[in-house]
Amino acid sequence: MGLSGNDRAIAGFAMTGHGLVHWFETSIPIFLVVWLAEFEVSTLLAGLVVALGYAPFGLGALPAGILADRFGAKTLVVACLAGMSASFVILGLSGSLAGVAIGLVCWGAAASIYHPAGLSLISTGVEQRGRVFAWHGMAGNAGIALGPFVAATLMFLGLTWQAAALILAIPGALAALYGLRADFDPTAAVDPDVDAGADEALSLSDLVGNSRVLFASAFALVFVIVTFEGLFYRGMLTFLPEILHGSSVLAGVAPGPSLEGFEPGHYIYVGLLVVGIVGQYVGGRLTDRIRPATGLLAFFAVLAVLALSFVPILSIEAGGTAGLVAVVGLSALFGFFLFAIQPFYQEAVAVYTPPESRGLSYGYTYLGEFGFGAASIAIGGYVLDISTPAFLVTMATFAVIGVALSVGLSVGVDRFLGTGPEQAATTADE
């Protein structure tokens, strides 16, 4: 069965937004290399400046979710696209580290809007959620891969980083203009008797009350599951390039003269992200066939095994192709499953929350994923100083905890908390 016209319109709009969020996000580390040399600052100071942009990306998700319920998801996504483009224009016009900091803070605040608003739009407007969640995830992974590639290529061709930033802002501006003209029903997947559209502004008491209702239901468990997925995801993606770079198995692999300065681990890492596109698609399609709790349980278990599998494989001595093939194969599997799990927690939020609080629900979800999940950068950095195996065991532990929590959701903890799939469906029909 094909998608309806409304489903296709929302899918195209949301996929564009998702791809551009990560297009901007992953271009920033490419610029960081140039900023270190141009501004002659320490890595610590430059890193703190970049952190100013990434922190609001997660912490702003909750207020963004509240705003999505107030003003409507489409309006918020358009504002996100316009804001991200404007932020990169600020970057492109800046000539100091202070200007860079201002641009990055603005970008993080604007980018934080997308996930709660975009996913809320899909959950209330799309009939075939699983398929669109899959395409949506693939678009995000495409942005993850294309952002740094385009930024690096523009500077390789001789453009300054400021010019590259201005060029990168163009697709976001065009997408915002497209969004203003896009025509679709953002609540087509919700029963007409349920209010899932823009609502009156929440008072503090309303916010506390709605939050209390959410966290007195199975969503509380889903939130903790998402947080541990975020801890695993952010920790592994942040430090895996460094782990690959320092591994003995890749020590004897050298690229040709034309690729001087590139590390084999970087190629493997980019390949991992590309494979993640397939993982997102497969995971999204599986949400139409497998219960969210069951899928989360299975994928967390696989991720724990894969994380631990890096320990023996990365210790293989350099000099043979077998070790290289093993690292490439394991990384490809890891990339597939790391991104294949994401549609399952997105679907879990849609299943275990009422439509009228969907924006707030996804706001809390990405506060856990990107906000609390970022704590693994500090945890992982500390443990990685001890040893690589200790780091990988720590990350695997996060996944094992995810398994245990998913078991709880699967066997029916939601019945005791008050809102499971049956209750959510009943709510939507009332």
Side-chain angles (χ1 to χ4, degrees), residues 161-424:
W161 68 265
Q162 290 98 332
L166 291 172
I167 291 174
L168 287 171
I170 294 173
L174 294 176
L177 292 174
Y178 159 70
L180 291 174
R181 298 175 57 87
D183 183 23
F184 50 76
D185 181 358
T187 60
V190 178
D191 189 282
D193 295 331
V194 176
D195 180 15
D199 204 348
E200 295 299 321
L202 285 176
S203 65
L204 178 61
S205 60
D206 290 334
L207 172 60
V208 172
N210 290 355
S211 299
R212 183 181 294 121
V213 170
L214 279 177
F215 283 95
S217 71
F219 175 75
L221 189 53
V222 173
F223 174 78
V224 179
I225 290 171
V226 170
T227 298
F228 275 95
E229 193 279 337
L231 289 167
F232 182 89
Y233 171 89
R234 185 59 69 192
M236 288 296 291
L237 280 192
T238 298
F239 293 108
L240 192 54
E242 175 63 22
I243 291 172
L244 291 172
H245 172 72
S247 66
S248 60
V249 70
L250 298 180
V253 180
S258 63
L259 296 177
E260 184 178 355
F262 286 84
E263 296 289 340
H266 294 172
Y267 294 113
I268 295 173
Y269 185 70
V270 171
L272 178 158
L273 298 176
V274 173
V275 172
I277 299 175
V278 181
Q280 284 273 12
Y281 177 76
V282 173
R285 294 305 301 269
L286 287 176
T287 60
D288 289 330
R289 302 167 182 256
I290 301 174
R291 291 179 61 225
T294 304
L296 287 167
L297 190 164
F299 282 100
F300 267 126
V302 172
L303 287 172
V305 172
L306 292 176
L308 293 175
S309 298
F310 276 105
V311 176
I313 288 181
L314 291 176
S315 64
I316 297 174
E317 291 299 324
T321 58
L324 178 60
V325 170
V327 170
V328 171
L330 177 59
S331 298
L333 282 173
F334 181 77
F336 177 88
F337 285 100
L338 181 67
F339 289 96
I341 194 174
Q342 293 183 358
F344 281 96
Y345 74 68
Q346 294 164 358
E347 177 69 4
V349 175
V351 167
Y352 288 98
T353 60
E356 64 270 16
S357 296
R358 201 58 55 74
L360 180 63
S361 303
Y362 280 117
Y364 277 119
T365 297
Y366 283 92
L367 172 63
E369 168 78 4
F370 293 134
F372 296 161
S376 65
I377 298 177
I379 297 170
Y382 172 78
V383 177
L384 189 57
D385 278 340
I386 300 173
S387 71
T388 296
F391 169 82
L392 292 168
V393 169
T394 300
M395 295 299 110
T397 300
F398 291 147
V400 170
I401 294 173
V403 170
L405 294 169
S406 299
V407 168
L409 193 63
S410 180
V411 300
V413 169
D414 50 276
R415 297 174 188 171
F416 299 98
L417 291 173
T419 304
E422 297 83 1
Q423 290 89 341

